[in-house]
Amino acid sequence: MAVSIRKVAPQNMQAEQVCLILDVRTEAEHAMTALEKEHIHLPLDRLQAREFMQEQQLDGGTPLYVLCAAGARATKAAEMFAQAGLNNVHVIDGGIQACKAAGLPLIIRPGMSLERQVRIVAGSLVLLACVLGTWVHPGFYGIAAVVGGGLVFAGITDWCGMAMLLAKAPWNRSSKRS
């Protein structure tokens, strides 16, 4: 049975008097930009829907709003909740980016976004592969092809393995940035 995931505008979440908001972005993303409104942060890769429902005593009465950067990870989380039997779950359409565009109060801290880190690492790998392919051995051009293919895959699927690896890097793991 297909599950229908409700996508709502950020203003819908702000209008709710009683609701639970779950941010499923990585620690690094959350450390840089977060809602001022009370919420729970739990990265998608650590989310266990049934356990979360038990811990938060979610029975479907209180609406659950799920948030990520743009909506893809929040949709995956909402599907997990729906499969676990929770029907009162909503995805913030457009994620934290839409919240910012809607003028919702956010806490913004300095730092380098994962997206920017991915661009730096991918660009560096392609540049290095081209230099090594030109002056050392043409086989190094294969690295550039793999990185390019990974970027195309990330663009099509909205899932980036390099970003997930960088999110686990020591400089991105601390959620206690000032």
Side-chain angles (χ1 to χ4, degrees):
M1 177 175 150
V3 175
S4 175
I5 303 299
R6 291 179 290 263
K7 294 190 176 190
V8 298
Q11 297 86 340
N12 291 35
M13 167 190 64
Q14 282 295 102
E16 288 282 351
Q17 293 296 325
V18 177
C19 69
L20 185 62
I21 302 167
L22 174 63
D23 187 333
V24 295
R25 295 174 301 142
T26 65
E27 289 182 20
E29 291 171 300
H30 186 262
M32 286 185 56
T33 307
L35 291 174
E36 270 189 16
K37 187 171 180 132
E38 186 177 334
H39 65 282
I40 296 171
H41 172 246
L42 181 62
L44 181 62
D45 64 349
R46 295 197 322 243
L47 177 65
Q48 299 294 320
R50 289 190 196 283
E51 287 178 23
F52 183 86
M53 289 165 55
Q54 288 173 344
E55 289 169 6
Q56 301 301 319
Q57 300 175 348
L58 290 174
D59 59 4
T62 302
L64 174 65
Y65 289 86
V66 187
L67 171 74
C68 67
R73 287 174 284 175
T75 300
K76 288 177 186 173
E79 289 169 353
M80 291 168 64
F81 283 112
Q83 289 174 353
L86 186 65
N87 295 319
N88 199 359
V89 61
H90 312 274
V91 171
I92 304 302
D93 196 21
I96 198 78
Q97 296 169 6
C99 292
K100 185 175 184 178
L104 299 184
L106 301 175
I107 299 167
I108 299 175
R109 298 176 191 95
M112 187 181 297
S113 71
L114 277 176
E115 182 180 340
R116 187 170 167 203
Q117 291 178 46
V118 166
R119 286 182 279 186
I120 290 169
V121 171
S124 297
L125 286 172
V126 169
L127 178 61
L128 179 64
C130 289
V131 168
L132 292 174
T134 300
W135 288 315
V136 177
H137 188 276
F140 283 105
Y141 289 124
I143 295 170
V146 169
V147 172
L151 291 172
V152 170
F153 178 81
I156 292 169
T157 64
D158 202 20
W159 183 88
C160 181
M162 187 181 294
M164 295 298 109
L165 286 173
L166 285 169
K168 295 180 186 316
W171 58 87
N172 287 327
R173 295 188 83 202
S174 174
S175 62
K176 293 181 172 81
R177 289 188 184 180
S178 55

